[in-house]
Amino acid sequence: MRFDNLRSFLEALRKENELQVISAPVDPYLELAEIHRRVIDEGGPALLFTNVKGAYFPVVTNLFGTSRRVDLAFGPRPEQLMKQIVGAVDTLVPPTPKALWQQRQLIVDLLKIGIKNVSPDSAPILQQCKTDSPLDGLPVLTSWQEDGGPFVTLPLVYTEHPENGHHNLGMYRMQVYDAKTTGMHWQIHKGGGFHYHEAEKRGEALPVTVFLGGPPALIASAIAPVPEHLPELLLTSLIVGQKLPMVQNPHGGHRLVAEAEFAISGSVAPYLRRPEGPFGDHYGYYSLTHDFPVFEVSHMWHRKDAIYPATIVGKPRQEDYYLGEFLQRLLSPAFPMAMPGVKDLWTYAETGFHPLAAAIVRDSYSREALGTAFRILGEGQLTLTKFLIVTDQHVELERFPKLLETVLERFDPLRDLFIFDHTSHDTLDYTGDRLNHGSKAVLLGVGEPQRQLPAVYDGGELPGIRSLAVYCRGCLVVSGAAYEEDPLLPQHLVEQAGDRLGDWPLVILADDTSFVKDQTAFLWTVFTRFNPAGDIYAHTQVNRHHIGYRLPLVIDARMKPGYPDELFPREDIVELVDRRWKEYFS
């Protein structure tokens, strides 16, 4: 089924009993977010709030909060088409009459991709326009009690390069300061930020249009990790399976997505910054207050019966997990084209994506896998990867315990672990020494197994350790004193118990061991709480400028001073939602 706009998707969700309408009055400050979090935890339906306090518009959340709803939104056709496109490259290069005839249906499908201009009468987005306090009445949500204010959480931010006109559609959160001004959270290595950087060098304001709603494919395209020069609007068209209708803005500026719910137009001035945050983000912590550019809104177009789409971010798993699964499946056939030698690639939503990635690569000659790892770390948003695991074995990357066992069986600690300090970090990752700065690690496990992995620890008591548990074969999780009490505990483990732990390639030091039975909890706890250069401990030796390691590797994944606070809902809001629960769903 093809969805041209948000409301056609909502109608399909209604028919599938995947939409719950909540008509009881709900506060956009904390209450709505707490309802959403509970429903997504239970694998519940999308939520349409029709009575949001102080707002002119209803709110819909949890659109993509299960794999089933993602499948309903996009269906199998986009993935099939992407596989066909990649599979046809060898056939069509060079193009011959026979090859063109064999791929005639694919060519017909590709001719449907693009943008088409429609008349204002055919564009629902132009039904109403606000120029006086344009953001007034929008049901902008505050999700966590320490948030710096209400945030637009599902904005589709459209910009064009000041010189060549190439466009970017990205999702960058927007803190609402007043009825005409918001923040613009352009992180490093984001397309909109590149456009702003170029405009600022010229001393010019960058025109910006923010869409809310539209086809579900538009939302997916905005977060897709596509190469910088691949137009997101064309990806939207590919997913939908037809040309994307656009309309000229009567007030000038960018063309508008005709089927969007809202189009907020304005500009971001050069050299102007304003404090933005804190904000409870998808890493599961509060990102702290920093200065970011300011979006000054001139006017807002919207449908006369517009619906405000939003999402709530927090500890995994949230909506971004399910959208991320779809986008990785969609784009994975193209990875070998962009990065020769890569057979499969996965980034882990459980960690917030950038902290951990894994790849299956070709290793047809000695150390080819290492070269491919460097290629991965040089590709688009993958350059922000903090920890990259590489193997040549055919494993399901989504099943992390099996992947980890496969690599730990094979890696040679003297040559297969590489740690690079003084590198870039994702803006939301606070494990580095300062904002946007940190380190990276590459762990290789290729070829034949080198060791048998233990499944049970029987080495006796460990100094300073209160409890321990096995995550998978070869990976032991231990806990002891908090970092503030004993910052040198991992070093002492290596020095005093290294021999007893030598059969365990990987030892994780954490604040507790309760998370070992759940992949989501393990990945989130470990990979959001350590910086490779500062938190990996082992006996080392240097030979020809290369650092070799001796097992075990000990990773200090405890919470440390300077890390932002973990996200927890406010107790009185929890009690309020407990009390009103039956009222919401009556």
Side-chain angles (χ1 to χ4, degrees):
M1 188 178 295
R2 176 182 294 149
F3 300 112
D4 300 330
N5 51 45
L6 175 62
R7 54 207 54 228
S8 62
F9 181 47
L10 293 181
E11 184 56 33
L13 294 182
R14 271 198 188 92
K15 292 178 180 178
E16 294 288 334
N17 294 318
E18 287 279 356
L19 180 68
Q20 174 70 48
V21 178
I22 297 178
S23 58
V26 173
D27 198 325
Y29 179 77
L30 302 183
E31 182 183 11
L32 191 152
E34 177 63 14
I35 298 168
H36 168 105
R37 287 192 290 266
R38 296 189 188 194
V39 171
I40 200 169
D41 284 347
E42 296 170 359
L47 302 173
L48 180 61
F49 298 88
T50 60
N51 190 357
V52 181
K53 294 179 181 177
Y56 302 160
F57 307 96
V59 174
V60 65
T61 72
N62 202 21
L63 288 166
F64 308 106
T66 64
S67 296
R68 181 169 188 264
R69 283 203 294 285
V70 171
D71 289 341
L72 285 171
F74 308 114
R77 194 203 62 81
E79 293 177 52
Q80 293 168 355
L81 181 59
M82 182 64 76
K83 290 176 181 176
Q84 286 180 281
I85 294 170
V86 173
V89 170
D90 290 337
T91 305
L92 294 174
V93 180
T96 64
K98 181 180 179 181
L100 292 170
W101 178 253
Q102 289 175 340
Q103 300 294 340
R104 61 189 181 280
Q105 185 55 53
L106 174 61
I107 293 170
V108 170
D109 290 337
L110 292 178
L111 290 174
K112 299 176 183 176
I113 296 173
I115 293 171
K116 65 178 180 181
N117 291 314
V118 298
S119 67
D121 293 341
S122 303
I125 188 60
L126 296 180
Q127 288 174 345
Q128 293 190 7
C129 185
K130 290 183 65 177
T131 55
D132 183 23
S133 300
L135 302 181
D136 188 39
L138 274 183
V140 187
L141 307 182
T142 304
S143 301
W144 300 96
Q145 59 270 21
E146 299 300 325
D147 283 359
F151 282 81
V152 182
T153 54
L154 212 57
L156 313 176
V157 181
Y158 179 89
T159 57
E160 295 179 354
H161 194 285
E163 292 182 0
N164 57 36
H166 292 163
H167 79 255
N168 174 260
L169 186 74
M171 192 173 291
Y172 316 112
R173 74 185 191 222
M174 297 161 50
Q175 180 176 345
V176 176
Y177 298 127
D178 53 49
K180 297 192 71 170
T181 315
T182 80
M184 186 58 71
H185 190 88
W186 275 322
Q187 302 170 33
I188 61 170
H189 217 287
K190 303 295 184 179
F194 290 153
H195 292 176
Y196 178 64
H197 176 71
E198 292 300 323
E200 195 169 52
K201 285 197 305 185
R202 299 152 67 112
E204 300 173 355
L206 180 70
V208 174
T209 302
V210 178
F211 301 110
L212 299 173
L218 193 71
I219 298 172
S221 298
I223 65 172
V226 297
E228 183 181 344
H229 298 298
L230 178 63
E232 285 84 1
L233 294 186
L234 291 186
L235 179 60
T236 302
S237 174
L238 183 147
I239 296 173
V240 174
Q242 64 181 21
K243 293 185 186 296
L244 181 68
M246 305 281 288
V247 66
Q248 294 295 332
N249 186 342
H251 291 332
H254 301 143
R255 287 181 296 177
L256 307 179
V257 175
E259 292 287 346
E261 299 293 313
F262 299 86
I264 305 170
S265 296
S267 63
V268 178
Y271 312 115
L272 178 63
R273 303 292 189 271
R274 183 169 174 174
E276 185 261 12
F279 178 73
D281 64 40
H282 67 276
Y283 273 42
Y285 308 91
Y286 286 101
S287 57
L288 305 180
T289 301
H290 303 285
D291 288 344
F292 276 90
V294 177
F295 178 40
E296 297 170 347
V297 180
S298 61
H299 62 279
M300 180 178 75
W301 293 96
H302 65 87
R303 290 172 178 259
K304 62 183 178 183
D305 55 351
I307 301 169
Y308 178 87
T311 190
I312 309 300
V313 294
K315 295 178 187 176
R317 301 179 175 183
Q318 301 293 332
E319 284 186 80
D320 61 345
Y321 176 90
Y322 301 99
L323 274 175
E325 274 192 328
F326 163 72
L327 289 167
Q328 294 195 76
R329 291 197 311 267
L330 175 68
L331 299 173
S332 60
F335 292 152
M337 293 178 60
M339 297 174 286
V342 175
K343 298 179 179 179
D344 198 7
L345 178 70
W346 194 257
T347 60
Y348 292 84
E350 298 97 329
T351 70
F353 294 106
H354 291 312
L356 177 64
I360 300 172
V361 304
R362 183 181 63 211
D363 194 47
S364 58
Y365 59 85
S366 179
R367 312 307 281 169
E368 182 185 10
L370 179 60
T372 304
F374 292 150
R375 180 66 182 265
I376 293 169
L377 292 177
E379 184 66 34
Q381 293 186 32
L382 289 168
T383 59
L384 297 179
T385 300
K386 180 168 70 174
F387 200 96
L388 175 62
I389 298 175
V390 174
T391 186
D392 63 343
Q393 303 298 303
H394 293 285
V395 295
E396 292 183 47
L397 297 179
E398 301 95 313
R399 295 176 55 208
F400 187 77
K402 179 60 177 175
L403 166 70
L404 187 58
E405 289 178 352
T406 300
V407 170
L408 293 181
E409 284 177 333
R410 290 166 171 80
F411 98 101
D412 180 348
L414 288 176
R415 66 171 195 164
D416 288 340
L417 174 64
F418 299 83
I419 298 174
F420 308 100
D421 202 3
H422 308 296
T423 66
S424 57
H425 254 197
D426 182 27
T427 301
L428 303 180
D429 189 331
Y430 285 90
T431 60
D433 296 331
R434 56 194 174 103
L435 186 69
N436 295 328
H437 292 74
S439 62
K440 303 184 187 303
V442 175
L443 181 66
L444 304 178
V446 299
E448 297 300 318
Q450 297 193 22
R451 65 184 62 83
Q452 287 189 333
L453 300 176
V456 177
Y457 176 75
D458 55 8
E461 291 188 7
L462 297 170
I465 298 304
R466 292 192 295 262
S467 64
L468 56 82
V470 175
Y471 174 64
C472 65
R473 290 187 302 115
C475 179
L476 186 68
V477 178
V478 301
S479 69
Y483 182 90
E484 292 89 340
E485 299 171 11
D486 189 356
L488 298 180
L489 179 55
Q491 181 177 326
H492 294 156
L493 271 178
V494 170
E495 294 171 349
Q496 301 172 21
D499 291 340
R500 274 175 282 166
L501 291 169
D503 291 337
W504 293 86
L506 185 60
V507 177
I508 307 293
L509 174 61
D511 291 308
D512 64 73
T513 60
S514 62
F515 55 82
V516 297
K517 295 182 180 180
D518 180 80
Q519 173 172 311
T520 296
F522 176 85
L523 292 177
W524 177 72
T525 302
V526 173
F527 288 92
T528 63
R529 296 183 181 180
F530 84 94
N531 178 33
D535 294 319
I536 295 180
Y537 294 80
H539 288 296
T540 62
Q541 63 185 59
V542 179
N543 183 28
R544 297 167 63 93
H545 298 282
H546 173 74
I547 299 176
Y549 301 86
R550 196 173 81 212
L551 299 181
L553 302 176
V554 177
I555 291 179
D556 187 356
R558 296 175 294 175
M559 289 290 285
K560 302 176 182 69
Y563 284 9
D565 290 338
E566 185 179 336
L567 298 177
F568 294 103
R570 209 171 73 186
E571 290 185 6
D572 62 317
I573 299 298
V574 172
E575 293 170 359
L576 171 68
V577 173
D578 283 342
R579 199 164 56 246
R580 298 193 63 199
W581 192 253
K582 291 183 179 178
E583 183 184 350
Y584 304 137
F585 298 99
S586 60

